[in-house]
Each structure stands twice: as structure tokens, then as C-alpha cells.
């Protein structure tokens, strides 16, 4: 039986922290599905299709990750429903700091209540990437800050276009 992990998120935009977790996940699981959320209550800077394209470009073009073990999809359901659809019993989540843990712990518990066969696996990104968040990347970009340490070239190009068009 294959170990298939689902890595859900908004990825608005994908950062080096996300990519770090994806690289680690590829080494741990037979298949990794990067699931880009369509819904949620967040105001997204990028559309779902744009975020999927950014994830693919960041992984394959910028980072040269050619793994056939990675699949990028969009979803608008509960993560546990997505797990059933793809025959996965693993949800992969990234942790940056202690402040993430309480929310992630609660989310893992709720997912476990929804489907007791699903385990949540937490991975820490490397120390250099633990301070990075999509929210802060967008804020830095809105003030024309240097983004090279946080996101790939593809994302930098697209996020700059967004903020130029909004001004």
C-alpha cells in the first residue's frame, strides 16, 4: 500500500517554508498531493488557478524539483473528504513556531474526530524558513521590499505584477 500524504493550504503565495516542507514530504511519502484550497474566509491575493501555477512553477521551474511523486490539485472540501478521495490516511502540515502549534493541534484533533483513520504529520521547516509567512511576504511586497529570501523568482515576478496593478 502506498503512503499518500495530502499537504493542504492556501499557498497565497507559496514560500520557501512551504517548499521546504514539500521537499521533506517527498522524501517521506510515496506520493505527495499539494492541495490548494479554493475556499476559506481569507481574501486571496491570487486566484486558485494562479496559486496552482505558482506552486508548479516554484517547484519545477525555479527549484528544479522533478519528482513525479508530487501532484498539485485544487480542492474545496474538508481535508478529510479529500483524503478519502485520494485514498490517503496522512495529512501533512508544516510548523514554523510554537504559535502555530495550538491551531494545528486543534485542527489535527478535529480531523481525527471526522475520520479516526487519518493521522496528521507535522514537519518543521528549516530554521532559515521558520519566520516566513505568506501574509508577511505580501506585506513586504506591498512596501516594495526585497523578497528573494522568502519566495522563488516566479512568485516574485507575479506578486510584483499584482501590487503594480493595484497601485
Amino acid at each position: 500500500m502506498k503512503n499518500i500524504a495530502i499537504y493542504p493550504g492556501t499557498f497565497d503565495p507559496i514560500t520557501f517554508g512551504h517548499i521546504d516542507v514539500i521537499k521533506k514530504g517527498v522524501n517521506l511519502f510515496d506520493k505527495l498531493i499539494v492541495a490548494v484550497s479554493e475556499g476559506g474566509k481569507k481574501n486571496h491575493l491570487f486566484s486558485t488557478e494562479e496559486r496552482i501555477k505558482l506552486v508548479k512553477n516554484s517547484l519545477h521551474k525555479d527549484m528544479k524539483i522533478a519528482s513525479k511523486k508530487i501532484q498539485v490539485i485544487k480542492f474545496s472540501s474538508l481535508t478529510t473528504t479529500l483524503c478519502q478521495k485520494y485514498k490517503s490516511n496522512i495529512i501533512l502540515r508544516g510548523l514554523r513556531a510554537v504559535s502555530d502549534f495550538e491551531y494545528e493541534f486543534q485542527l489535527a484533533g478535529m480531523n481525527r474526530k471526522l475520520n479516526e483513520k487519518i493521522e496528521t504529520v507535522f514537519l518543521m521547516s528549516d530554521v532559515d524558513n521558520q519566520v516566513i509567512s505568506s501574509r508577511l511576504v505580501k506585506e513586504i511586497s506591498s512596501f516594495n521590499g526585497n523578497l528573494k529570501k522568502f519566495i522563488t523568482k516566479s512568485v516574485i515576478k507575479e506578486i510584483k505584477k499584482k501590487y503594480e496593478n493595484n497601485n
Side-chain angles (χ1 to χ4, degrees):
M1 184 171 155
K2 278 189 167 187
N3 278 329
I4 300 169
I6 307 279
Y7 181 31
T10 54
F11 306 102
D12 188 42
I14 187 168
T15 68
F16 286 135
H18 296 125
I19 293 169
D20 196 9
V21 170
I22 291 167
K23 285 177 170 178
K24 290 175 181 180
V26 167
N27 290 328
L28 292 172
F29 305 107
D30 298 318
K31 182 174 184 179
L32 180 63
I33 298 172
V34 179
V36 179
S37 173
E38 287 188 278
K41 295 183 167 110
K42 295 182 178 182
N43 287 329
H44 301 297
L45 179 62
F46 294 100
S47 70
T48 306
E49 289 71 26
E50 289 171 322
R51 288 181 279 136
I52 288 171
K53 184 179 175 187
L54 288 174
V55 169
K56 288 179 179 179
N57 284 343
S58 291
L59 295 175
H60 306 306
K61 187 173 125 188
D62 297 332
M63 302 302 294
K64 310 284 189 240
I65 301 170
S67 178
K68 293 183 171 135
K69 292 168 66 172
I70 300 171
Q71 181 179 359
V72 182
I73 63 161
K74 66 181 172 181
F75 79 107
S76 60
S77 64
L78 291 170
T79 306
T80 53
T81 303
L82 192 66
C83 287
Q84 289 173 319
K85 179 179 178 179
Y86 286 92
K87 296 176 178 41
S88 169
N89 63 343
I90 303 163
I91 298 173
L92 178 62
R93 299 294 292 173
L95 289 175
R96 291 177 303 218
V98 175
S99 57
D100 287 347
F101 184 76
E102 187 174 345
Y103 170 76
E104 293 295 342
F105 181 80
Q106 188 176 25
L107 189 60
M110 292 298 287
N111 285 329
R112 186 76 173 179
K113 287 269 190 200
L114 289 167
N115 186 332
E116 64 186 27
K117 295 177 183 172
I118 293 175
E119 291 290 342
T120 300
V121 174
F122 298 102
L123 293 178
M124 299 285 299
S125 54
D126 288 341
V127 174
D128 289 348
N129 296 319
Q130 287 178 3
V131 297
I132 303 172
S133 75
S134 296
R135 182 181 57 80
L136 292 176
V137 164
K138 289 184 275 193
E139 189 171 336
I140 292 165
S141 183
S142 73
F143 290 105
N144 266 343
N146 187 339
L147 298 168
K148 289 180 183 170
K149 293 181 181 178
F150 311 114
I151 54 179
T152 66
K153 289 178 183 177
S154 295
V155 179
I156 290 171
K157 180 181 171 190
E158 294 303 316
I159 202 168
K160 284 187 176 190
K161 277 192 215 172
K162 284 283 185 186
Y163 281 103
E164 285 172 6
N165 292 338
N166 289 340
N167 290 332

